[in-house]
């Protein structure tokens, strides 16, 4: 089985722009969650989607949003980028939606 | 919300020795505790997990123990090898929100020859 695929791997954006990141879960996995990883804050939960519905949300501002499509692929959008949004954004998927999350390799976003 | 503390932040052991990493959690409702290993520049990989209905789980050289009363859980690696060198993260979550993992701050394990 192919793993969790995230695109693009690297991205450089300017402050104020918006960005969309993509995640393709492992085939058969219906739960997709997103995390932000930074040296200062560590790994922080953004949100989770299951069957196209957002089930859980972390403590991030409304500039961070996401969605999930009927094929379980998910996208994450960040609007009005700030320098502090520079981070590794990780997507994880699970078949059972209650444990065993497998992470993708992430998208490294740099905001300049 | 849940808070997970992880110690130590760095750990250096000689090859063949054991390594122990400890985590404490604050929410008594948490019932799922995975451990992830992240090598430099790579994705976090799930190495072992435990649910609160068991006290210990073992997988070859890796074991995890859970003390629900004290709200702490530990990762034990025996016979360490250089390829065990990585950052290890503990996490906690509860049923219904298991996707919402709260992570510890990580332990950088260095296995020296």
């Amino acid at each position: 089985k192919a793993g969790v695929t995230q695109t693009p791997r690297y991205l450089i954006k300017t402050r104020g722009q918006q960005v969309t990141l993509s995640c393709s879960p492992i085939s058969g996995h219906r739960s997709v969650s997103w995390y932000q990883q930074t040296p200062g804050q560590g790994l922080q939960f953004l949100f989770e989607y299951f069957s196209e519905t957002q089930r859980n949300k972390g403590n991030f501002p409304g500039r961070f949003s996401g969605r999930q499509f009927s094929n379980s692929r998910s996208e994450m959008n960040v609007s009005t980028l700030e320098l502090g949004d520079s981070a590794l954004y990780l997507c994880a998927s699970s078949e059972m939606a209650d444990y065993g999350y497998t992470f993708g390799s992430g998208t490294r976003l740099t905001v300049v | 919300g849940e808070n997970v503390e992880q110690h130590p932040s760095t750990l250096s052991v000689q090859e063949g020795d054991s390594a122990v990493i400890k985590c404490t959690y604050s929410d008594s409702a948490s019932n799922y505790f995975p451990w992830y290993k992240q090598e430099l520049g790579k994705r976090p990989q799930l190495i072992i997990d435990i649910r609160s209905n068991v006290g210990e789980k073992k997988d070859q050289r890796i074991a995890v123990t859970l003390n629900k009363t004290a709200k702490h859980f530990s990762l034990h690696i025996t016979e360490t090898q250089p390829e065990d060198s990585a950052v290890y993260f503990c996490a906690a979550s509860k049923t219904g929100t298991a996707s919402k993992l709260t992570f510890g701050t990580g332990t950088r394990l260095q296995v020296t020859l």
Side-chain angles (χ1 to χ4, degrees):
Chain A
K1 265 187 181 177
V4 179
T5 304
Q6 291 188 247
T7 56
R9 289 296 310 276
Y10 302 93
L11 208 48
I12 299 176
K13 289 287 187 179
T14 304
R15 253 185 321 177
Q17 286 187 313
Q18 75 165 17
V19 66
T20 299
L21 313 181
S22 179
C23 172
S24 293
I26 291 171
S27 179
H29 286 195
R30 291 196 293 163
S31 173
V32 174
S33 52
W34 288 87
Y35 289 81
Q36 181 195 67
Q37 185 174 28
T38 60
Q41 299 297 317
L43 280 151
Q44 292 188 289
F45 173 79
L46 282 154
F47 31 64
E48 183 243 354
Y49 288 86
F50 183 84
S51 294
E52 302 179 66
T53 301
Q54 185 182 91
R55 291 198 308 177
N56 291 297
K57 192 176 188 310
N59 299 323
F60 278 80
R63 300 185 297 107
F64 292 82
S65 63
R67 59 177 174 168
Q68 187 179 33
F69 302 95
S70 58
N71 62 357
S72 293
R73 190 177 72 84
S74 177
E75 286 183 349
M76 184 190 117
N77 185 74
V78 188
S79 62
T80 321
L81 284 166
E82 301 176 0
L83 296 178
D85 297 333
S86 294
L88 180 66
Y89 289 89
L90 292 159
C91 163
S93 74
S94 168
E95 180 181 9
M96 300 306 293
D98 232 9
Y99 60 90
Y101 279 84
T102 299
F103 280 88
S105 296
T107 293
R108 184 162 296 281
L109 171 66
T110 302
V111 182
V112 297
Chain B
E2 174 69 278
N3 182 51
V4 176
E5 293 189 358
Q6 182 172 348
H7 299 281
S9 56
T10 59
L11 180 59
S12 183
V13 299
Q14 283 197 314
E15 185 180 5
D17 286 350
S18 295
V20 180
I21 302 170
K22 298 181 179 181
C23 290
T24 60
Y25 60 99
S26 61
D27 188 347
S28 56
S30 288
N31 55 5
Y32 175 62
F33 308 93
W35 285 87
Y36 285 86
K37 173 185 179 183
Q38 188 174 31
E39 296 175 72
L40 191 62
K42 296 193 175 180
R43 64 186 180 91
Q45 284 191 288
L46 178 66
I47 56 171
I48 195 167
D49 57 8
I50 192 169
R51 291 188 243 188
S52 62
N53 56 344
V54 298
E56 184 173 358
K57 184 176 178 180
K58 195 173 180 180
D59 182 4
Q60 298 182 355
R61 296 186 297 108
I62 292 172
V64 58
T65 58
L66 171 65
N67 183 326
K68 286 174 58 180
T69 304
K71 289 191 281 188
H72 67 71
F73 56 112
S74 301
L75 178 71
H76 305 252
I77 306 173
T78 58
E79 300 171 23
T80 53
Q81 300 167 3
E83 51 266 38
D84 294 329
S85 296
V87 179
Y88 291 80
F89 293 95
C90 62
S93 68
K94 51 192 174 186
T95 305
T97 64
S99 61
K100 191 175 181 178
L101 294 168
T102 300
F103 282 87
T105 49
T107 296
R108 183 172 300 279
L109 173 64
Q110 178 85 32
V111 179
T112 58
L113 297 172

